[in-house]
Amino acid sequence: MLRSVYLTLIYIAFVTLGVAAPFVFSLGYVWVDTFTPQNVAYSILPSIPVSLIMALLAIGGYVIMDRRDPPGISLILVLTVLFAGWVTFTTAVLAVSPWSAWTKWNWAVKTILFSAFIPYVFRSRVQIEAFLQIYLFSLAIHVLPTGLKTIINGGGYGMALGVVSGNSGFAEGSTLAAVALMLLPIILYLRNHTILVPKHPITNLMYIGLAVATITCAVGTYARTGLIGMLVVGTGLWLRTRHKVTYGLMGAVAGAALVFFTSSAWNERISTINDYKSEGSALGRILVWKWTLDFVAHNPLGGGFNSYEVNEIRFPAADGGLEDDVFRGKAFHSIYFEVLGEHGWPGLALFGALIVTAFLSLQRTSRWAKKTPGMEWLRELAYALQVSLITLLACGSFIGVAFQPMLYYMFALSACLAHHVQRLKKGAADAAKQQRSWRDRPALPKPAGPALPEPAVAAGGGWRAAPAAKGLAGGPAYKPPAPARQPGWRNRPAAGTATLAATPALVGSQDAGWRGRAAPARMEGDLPVKG
C-alpha cells in the first residue's frame, strides 16, 4: 500500500509542477512511459489511465501555455511523421494478423509521434538535462535492483531480478542489458556536466554507483546481448578518451576480472556464441531471419505489425529424430528484421534514414560545439548520445525493440540538440547586430537630382574665411554694420543720473574710477560726518 501511495504522490507532483512549468507535463509522460508505475503499484494508479491523462496534459500545456519559439521543420521530424504514416498504412491495409497488428499499433504509433513532439518542448539546456535526468532515474528503477542482486547472488539467465516480471519489456534479460549499457555514456556525461544536481561528493558517488550498476546488471542477466553491448560501449568510450593506453589497460584488467569472478554458468552461456547450431535460441534467430527474407520476397511492402505470428519455423530433429520440430509464431529477435517483416522495404528504408540522420545530426552538433567556446557540455552530450545510439543499434540486432521508446528518444534528443544549436547561432547573430554602433551603419543614400555647388573654403579658414553673401543683383556687396562698442561697467553712467559729460563736478573725469570720483556736495541740514 505504501508503494502505491508513494507512486501516486509522484504522479500528482508532476501534474502540480506542470501548472507552473508546462514542460514538466512532458517529463511526467516520460516517467510514466518508462517506469510504468501502473504496473508496479498495487492500487490507485492501475485503476486510472495515467498515460493518457499525462499525454493530454503534455500536449495541452504546450499548446496553451508554452508555444514559444517552435523549432523549424527538420529532416528528422519529416522522417518520423512519414514512418508513423507508413506503419499505419501497413496495419490498415496489409496486416496478415489484423487484430494483433492493431493492438501493437495502438502503443507503437504513440511512441513514434511523441518523439516528434519532444523537440517542441525541450529547447534549452536546462530542459534537455531535465529530460535526461528523469529518463535516467526512471530506468534506474529497473537497472539498480538487478545490478545489486547480481553483486549479492550472481544473477542468472531467465531470473526475475527487476521490479517487473514476465518475458517482455524490461523483464526480458536481453532488453534490460541493452538499456543498462545504453545509459552508461549518459551517466558519465551527467556526472561531469550536470547543472541541475548540485556538485557534491555524495552526488558524484551516486553517479559512479549507477555506472557500476549498469555493468553488473548487464552481466547478471547472462544475456549474450549484454556482452556485445559491453564491447561496443567500451570501445566508444575508449575512442573518446585522451588516455587510451591507461584506459585500455584498465579495460583489459576489468575483462579478465569479469571472466575470473563470474560463475561457470555465465561462462558457459556466453560461450554458446561460437556454436549457434547447438543452442536453440541462437539457431531460432537464424531460422526466423531466413523466413523473414522469404516472406518479404513475396510481400515487399510487409505484413503489418506482428506479422511473425503466421510463420512456421522448423528446427532440425534432435538426437537423430526423423521429424523436425515445428514452432509457429516465433518473434523476429532483431530490430532490422522486425521492421522489414512488418513494414517491408519502404519501412526499413525510412527506419534506416532515421538512424543515419540522427547520427549525422549529432556529429554536426559535436563539430560545431568543438569550435565554439563554452560549448564543451554540448560536445560531450552529442558524443555520449552517439555512443548510446550505436550501443542500442548493436544490441538491437538480436532483440526486437524496434518500436520501444529508447530508440525514438535518441532520435528526438538529436533533434533537440540541433535546434538548440540553431537558437544559439540566431542569438549570437542578433546580439552582434545590436552591438553595431552608428558609425558602422551604411550612409544614407543622397537624394536624386543635380548636386548643389558648395562654396570653396580656404584651408584652415573656417566660417570667417567664407565669401561674404552677395547683395541684390547688380548692386554692391552687402556688408553688415559694425556693432557699437559698449563701454565697460567702469564707464557706464550711474542709474538715475544724467550723462557723464553733463556732471563733471559729481563724478569727475570719465576715465576716473570710483576712487577718483568727487564727494557729493553737502546739503543744508545734513548731519556732520566724522572722519
Side-chain angles (χ1 to χ4, degrees):
M1 183 62 183
L2 290 178
R3 177 194 294 185
S4 301
V5 173
Y6 174 70
L7 295 177
T8 303
L9 291 176
I10 295 177
Y11 187 84
I12 294 174
F14 278 113
V15 174
T16 304
L17 294 175
V19 176
F23 81 96
V24 178
F25 288 136
S26 296
L27 292 178
Y29 182 84
V30 172
W31 177 71
V32 170
D33 191 42
T34 304
F35 175 52
T36 60
Q38 65 274 24
N39 297 332
V40 179
Y42 296 114
S43 60
I44 305 176
L45 292 181
S47 61
I48 60 177
V50 291
S51 181
L52 175 62
I53 293 174
M54 198 63 76
L56 293 176
L57 289 175
I59 298 173
Y62 170 78
V63 172
I64 297 174
M65 298 183 290
D66 195 30
R67 194 169 52 183
R68 298 173 299 174
D69 192 20
I73 304 300
S74 65
L75 182 57
I76 292 180
L77 176 62
V78 172
L79 290 173
T80 302
V81 174
L82 287 177
F83 192 51
W86 179 253
V87 300
T88 302
F89 168 77
T90 57
T91 302
V93 178
L94 306 174
V96 294
S97 181
W99 183 86
S100 178
W102 282 114
T103 301
K104 183 176 179 179
W105 175 90
N106 186 45
W107 59 263
V109 76
K110 295 175 185 176
T111 298
I112 300 173
L113 292 178
F114 186 77
S115 70
F117 174 69
I118 287 175
Y120 287 85
V121 180
F122 300 98
R123 303 179 294 267
S124 66
R125 179 182 178 182
V126 171
Q127 292 174 331
I128 293 172
E129 183 181 328
F131 179 96
L132 291 173
Q133 296 283 9
I134 292 297
Y135 190 49
L136 169 62
F137 289 106
S138 298
L139 289 174
I141 301 299
H142 300 281
V143 172
L144 273 176
T146 305
L148 293 176
K149 292 177 182 179
T150 300
I151 295 175
I152 296 173
N153 60 22
Y157 181 71
M159 295 178 59
L161 302 175
V163 296
V164 292
S165 58
N167 194 31
S168 61
F170 298 122
E172 204 274 322
S174 297
T175 302
L176 183 60
V179 172
L181 295 170
M182 175 205 73
L183 285 179
L184 185 56
I186 298 175
I187 294 172
L188 297 179
Y189 162 79
L190 291 174
R191 174 177 174 264
N192 295 323
H193 298 283
T194 180
I195 58 175
L196 295 181
V197 178
K199 295 292 184 66
H200 192 273
I202 295 178
T203 58
N204 187 47
L205 290 175
M206 177 189 69
Y207 284 118
I208 294 176
L210 280 175
V212 173
T214 60
I215 299 175
T216 57
C217 174
V219 173
T221 61
Y222 282 42
R224 291 160 298 188
T225 304
L227 177 62
I228 296 172
M230 284 189 285
L231 292 175
V232 173
V233 73
T235 302
L237 296 177
W238 177 77
L239 291 174
R240 186 62 171 175
T241 183
R242 299 177 181 177
H243 309 284
K244 290 183 172 55
V245 176
T246 303
Y247 283 93
L249 292 175
M250 292 175 59
V253 172
L258 179 66
V259 175
F260 180 77
F261 288 105
T262 51
S263 64
S264 58
W266 187 86
N267 295 324
E268 291 175 1
R269 173 70 180 171
I270 298 301
S271 64
T272 57
I273 294 178
N274 297 325
D275 187 11
Y276 69 91
K277 292 183 179 180
S278 64
E279 205 276 326
S281 179
L283 179 59
R285 285 177 168 85
I286 301 297
L287 294 177
V288 77
W289 295 344
K290 289 181 178 179
W291 175 89
T292 304
L293 293 175
D294 183 67
F295 178 77
V296 296
H298 299 86
N299 302 274
L301 300 183
F305 283 116
N306 291 339
S307 59
Y308 70 89
E309 292 182 351
V310 300
N311 65 25
E312 289 187 0
I313 306 301
R314 294 181 175 274
F315 285 79
D319 300 329
L322 298 178
E323 295 184 1
D324 295 340
D325 296 327
V326 180
F327 291 86
R328 292 179 176 85
K330 187 169 181 61
F332 293 104
H333 289 289
S334 171
I335 58 174
Y336 309 108
F337 285 96
E338 179 181 2
V339 175
L340 177 61
E342 292 181 341
H343 310 292
W345 294 109
L348 184 62
L350 289 172
F351 186 68
L354 266 175
I355 294 172
V356 173
T357 303
F359 187 85
L360 294 179
S361 177
L362 292 171
Q363 185 69 17
R364 288 192 297 268
T365 300
S366 179
R367 289 179 178 176
W368 179 85
K370 183 179 180 180
K371 298 182 294 185
T372 306
M375 291 292 112
E376 182 68 18
W377 70 271
L378 186 59
R379 179 190 177 194
E380 294 296 329
L381 177 55
Y383 188 79
L385 293 178
Q386 279 185 312
V387 177
S388 296
L389 178 58
I390 294 175
T391 303
L392 269 181
L393 295 176
C395 295
S397 300
F398 307 98
I399 51 177
V401 292
F403 297 95
Q404 296 294 328
M406 299 86 69
L407 275 172
Y408 298 91
Y409 286 169
M410 294 294 108
F411 301 155
L413 286 171
S414 67
C416 289
L417 295 190
H419 293 315
H420 186 64
V421 168
Q422 292 177 1
R423 292 186 184 93
L424 292 175
K425 290 180 179 179
K426 181 180 177 182
D430 293 342
K433 186 176 180 180
Q434 292 177 359
Q435 289 177 359
R436 290 174 53 190
S437 64
W438 63 272
R439 297 180 183 275
D440 299 327
R441 296 174 183 172
L444 295 176
K446 294 183 178 181
L452 299 177
E454 296 182 359
V457 180
W463 64 272
R464 297 180 183 276
K470 295 183 178 181
L472 298 176
Y478 172 77
K479 183 177 182 180
R485 187 173 182 178
Q486 300 295 331
W489 64 272
R490 295 178 183 273
N491 300 326
R492 292 175 184 173
T497 63
T499 61
L500 296 178
T503 57
L506 180 63
V507 297
S509 172
Q510 291 183 9
D511 295 332
W514 63 274
R515 295 182 184 277
R517 295 176 184 173
R522 186 174 178 181
M523 302 295 293
E524 191 179 50
D526 287 347
L527 296 177
V529 180
K530 296 183 180 182

